Amino acid sequence: MAKKNSINNDFLKSVRNDLSPKVYDLVLKLVNENREDMAKIVLKVDYLLEYTSNCIKARDYDEARETLDGARKRIDMLKNEGEDVSYLEYLYEGINKKCK
């Protein structure tokens, strides 16, 4: 069976332009392992981190902390499944430092 990519998979096609290359590589790996459920969690973490960054820019630190907690729980869930989430953790730590 051929590997899935953004040309032959609608899910990957819909998310390709919205993700950074490293996050897209993780999603692509998960989809090719038939783990679309985990790929959707990666998308959620990416969205939550982006939303947290926007909250910090708007100086809404309470909402940012709450959203970071949700992202942390999902990152831990992915980590418990044995996925390489080092880049998501790197993003998380960078955003967490900005949150007062």
Side-chain angles (χ1 to χ4, degrees):
M1 183 173 185
K3 287 194 172 202
K4 296 175 185 173
N5 57 37
S6 63
I7 294 172
N8 61 15
N9 186 290
D10 292 334
F11 174 70
L12 291 173
K13 186 183 293 185
S14 68
V15 300
R16 182 171 187 211
N17 293 330
D18 297 334
L19 298 176
S20 69
K22 289 186 178 183
V23 175
Y24 179 75
D25 286 343
L26 178 58
V27 170
L28 180 65
K29 176 184 160 282
L30 289 169
V31 168
N32 279 312
E33 293 174 353
N34 291 325
R35 300 292 314 265
E36 266 192 51
D37 56 333
M38 297 308 258
K40 289 179 181 179
I41 293 174
V42 171
L43 293 177
K44 219 168 245 191
V45 169
D46 185 62
Y47 170 78
L48 288 173
L49 292 175
E50 186 175 328
Y51 179 73
T52 302
S53 182
N54 289 335
C55 287
I56 291 170
K57 287 177 187 173
R59 299 183 190 273
D60 187 359
Y61 298 111
D62 292 332
E63 181 73 17
R65 273 190 228 83
E66 186 177 320
T67 309
L68 273 175
D69 289 340
R72 180 82 252 167
K73 289 176 187 173
R74 287 175 176 87
I75 289 172
D76 290 341
M77 187 185 322
L78 288 166
K79 199 182 231 183
N80 290 338
E81 291 291 325
E83 300 304 329
D84 178 24
V85 292
S86 58
Y87 184 68
L88 292 175
E89 287 181 324
Y90 168 76
L91 293 174
Y92 175 87
E93 292 302 322
I95 292 171
N96 192 29
K97 287 179 184 176
K98 294 179 185 177
C99 191
K100 295 180 181 179

